[in-house]
Amino acid sequence: MYNLTEGALERIMRGTDVEKPVLQVWGYKKLPRSVNKDGVTTDRYRLLVSDGQRYNSFTMLATQLNYLITDEILTDNAICRILNYHLSLMNNSGKERPVMVILGIEVLVSGSKVGHKIGNPTNIDIKSDAEVTSTSTSPFPTNGAAKKDSSNHHASSDISTTPIAALSPYQNRWVIKVRVTNKSPIRTWSNSRGEGKLFSMDLIDESGEIRCTAFKDQCDKFYEMIEPGKVYYISRCTLKAANKQFNILKNDYEMTVTGDTEIVPCHENSDDIPTLQFNFCPISQVENKEKDALIDVLGVVTTFSDVQHIVQRNTGRELMKRDVDIVDDSGTMVRVTLWGKQAEDFDGSNNPILAIKGARVSEFNSGKHLSLIMSSVLEKDPDLPEAHRLRGWYTSVGHSQNAKSLSRAGGSGDF
């Protein structure tokens, strides 16, 4: 006998919070892929779920959970506990319908073991206020969802926010509350189609992270306003499939600032919004990474060169670079190349620990090197448990060990 949380779906779709309901997944449907201009595609799955009394097809699986379907973990008739969800709005035949976006789910009983649909539920038909076209002119429309975490609401204007993990191109009435973990320099371009400028910023909340890019006029409008480490409310950006060649953030989408985008500083307590997140790759595994792969690494500086002035082959521009050798407790060393002002200002005295997000793997003379690019983030002596453990290893034994070097002298692989 399998006990479902009867009545949960109707309460959820009307905006009432239900704590970890147990539901049955009857099946799923893969929606048409979204494709960006670079040809990158993103899959999205719509679920048919039941609580034993009602069933509902307006349920979406967050893209970071797609593996549950592709790996056949979440199968037809499975009994699941919903650990985290968000109620959002999506357009359906000209009307905005509340949609349950599943952010966290635990499979309790496999579909093959259950083997049948439970009960005789009827279709849920919510005629909510969400279906009425909004006439609000507020730059921060509510998303129709009741949020259990009261910190997601602005104390004075009651801003209702959507988690990053629940964003999709299929709905655009949302506000996110995010911390900026990185802001790139402004980059300019000029070609036969014209000229312009852009900058990108990496955003994070308790559910995930996403990259946001501003071009031309929006670049001028927002660049000085944005400060890394600060928290902002952001709305009215467009979403597209992320280009994984340049973006290693754990999100299948990325955002673009438009002329309608609103960005407002958040002045309330924002301790619930996390800071920069790393997914460190042991240096010993860099040897197996493909050329141009983007990775996060953590290492102790063993040696560093003076600043060198070189000429870029394809543009003739003079650039500054500095090579830094780092080692970790795998007993492996790799050379990291810093560029521009970062190279000029770097001080590797006293063996600092470097945490690097988004270093690019390059090859030279049959060796592997790492190079920082525009979107890379470098933190020196970060207050992270991994960094403290690495410092202990280096102080006790690492400083006296001979490390295996993955790099060969003579180049960064980029110029």
Side-chain angles (χ1 to χ4, degrees), residues 38-57:
D38 303 304
V40 180
T41 60
T42 300
D43 288 329
R44 193 82 174 177
Y45 292 97
R46 182 172 174 175
L47 304 182
L48 182 60
V49 298
S50 165
D51 63 11
Q53 284 186 348
R54 298 292 193 117
Y55 67 86
N56 177 37
S57 63

Side-chain angles (χ1 to χ4, degrees), residues 167-405:
L167 297 178
S168 85
Y170 304 104
Q171 49 100 6
N172 54 20
R173 290 187 62 218
W174 48 259
V175 181
I176 54 175
K177 180 184 177 183
V178 292
R179 189 183 304 277
V180 177
T181 57
N182 182 43
K183 182 178 80 168
S184 75
I186 291 177
R187 183 165 67 88
T188 60
W189 76 85
S190 178
N191 54 38
S192 59
R193 292 180 294 177
E195 57 185 32
K197 63 179 68 173
L198 67 86
F199 82 94
S200 64
M201 52 184 168
D202 295 342
L203 312 174
I204 193 171
D205 70 7
E206 67 279 4
S207 74
E209 53 188 350
I210 194 168
R211 177 159 296 165
C212 182
T213 303
F215 296 87
K216 297 184 178 180
D217 292 345
Q218 283 68 49
C219 177
D220 292 333
K221 180 179 180 179
F222 292 114
Y223 188 78
E224 294 300 329
M225 170 188 175
I226 299 298
E227 296 182 42
K230 297 292 182 67
V231 174
Y232 299 86
Y233 292 106
I234 301 178
S235 69
R236 296 179 179 172
C237 293
T238 60
L239 268 79
K240 64 176 184 178
N243 186 341
K244 292 301 183 180
Q245 183 179 355
F246 304 103
N247 183 354
I248 64 167
L249 299 187
K250 291 183 176 180
N251 200 313
D252 289 329
Y253 299 110
E254 55 192 22
M255 297 165 49
T256 301
V257 175
T258 72
D260 295 325
T261 295
E262 295 284 348
I263 302 179
V264 176
C266 174
H267 300 295
E268 293 80 36
N269 186 324
S270 300
D271 291 342
D272 57 307
I273 307 295
T275 55
L276 186 64
Q277 292 183 335
F278 294 92
N279 183 25
F280 292 121
C281 169
I283 293 177
S284 59
Q285 294 182 14
V286 173
E287 189 172 23
N288 302 320
K289 296 295 182 181
E290 296 290 332
K291 182 179 182 293
D292 294 328
L294 298 177
I295 62 173
D296 301 350
V297 291
L298 181 75
V300 184
V301 174
T302 56
T303 60
F304 60 102
S305 71
D306 293 331
V307 172
Q308 305 167 52
H309 294 265
I310 64 171
V311 176
Q312 191 177 25
R313 287 196 299 261
N314 56 347
T315 67
R317 286 192 304 147
E318 183 176 289
L319 301 173
M320 290 184 294
K321 62 171 280 193
R322 187 194 297 267
D323 291 328
V324 180
D325 292 340
I326 62 172
V327 67
D328 69 3
D329 54 9
S330 68
T332 311
M333 185 274 291
V334 70
R335 180 156 296 169
V336 180
T337 301
L338 313 182
W339 299 96
K341 184 169 177 56
Q342 197 167 52
E344 184 179 23
D345 295 342
F346 181 79
D347 182 6
S349 304
N350 301 315
N351 305 107
I353 290 178
L354 303 185
I356 304 173
K357 187 174 185 68
R360 173 168 286 167
V361 177
S362 58
E363 298 177 347
F364 184 81
N365 283 349
S366 301
K368 290 291 177 73
H369 296 248
L370 298 177
S371 182
L372 269 63
I373 59 177
M374 184 178 71
S375 60
S376 302
V377 181
L378 184 150
E379 287 197 358
K380 194 175 182 181
D381 289 323
D383 185 14
L384 297 172
E386 300 95 328
H388 298 315
R389 287 195 295 269
L390 185 59
R391 173 61 69 196
W393 168 82
Y394 187 75
T395 301
S396 60
V397 297
H399 70 281
S400 60
Q401 290 184 349
N402 291 323
K404 172 188 175 181
S405 177

Side-chain angles (χ1 to χ4, degrees), residues 23-34:
L23 306 176
Q24 184 178 34
V25 176
W26 281 3
Y28 66 87
K29 177 182 179 181
K30 182 189 287 189
L31 297 177
R33 285 185 167 190
S34 58

Side-chain angles (χ1 to χ4, degrees), residues 99-154:
V99 174
M100 179 183 179
V101 182
I102 296 177
L103 307 176
I105 186 171
E106 176 188 3
V107 177
L108 301 178
V109 187
S110 68
S112 60
K113 185 174 181 179
V114 178
H116 64 279
K117 294 182 174 66
I118 296 174
N120 188 29
T122 57
N123 187 20
I124 193 168
D125 187 17
I126 299 296
K127 300 293 185 181
S128 69
D129 293 339
E131 294 191 13
V132 179
T133 302
S134 172
T135 58
S136 170
T137 58
S138 167
F140 294 103
T142 62
N143 59 17
K147 288 288 290 178
K148 184 170 184 178
D149 185 357
S150 61
S151 64
N152 280 346
H153 295 270
H154 191 289

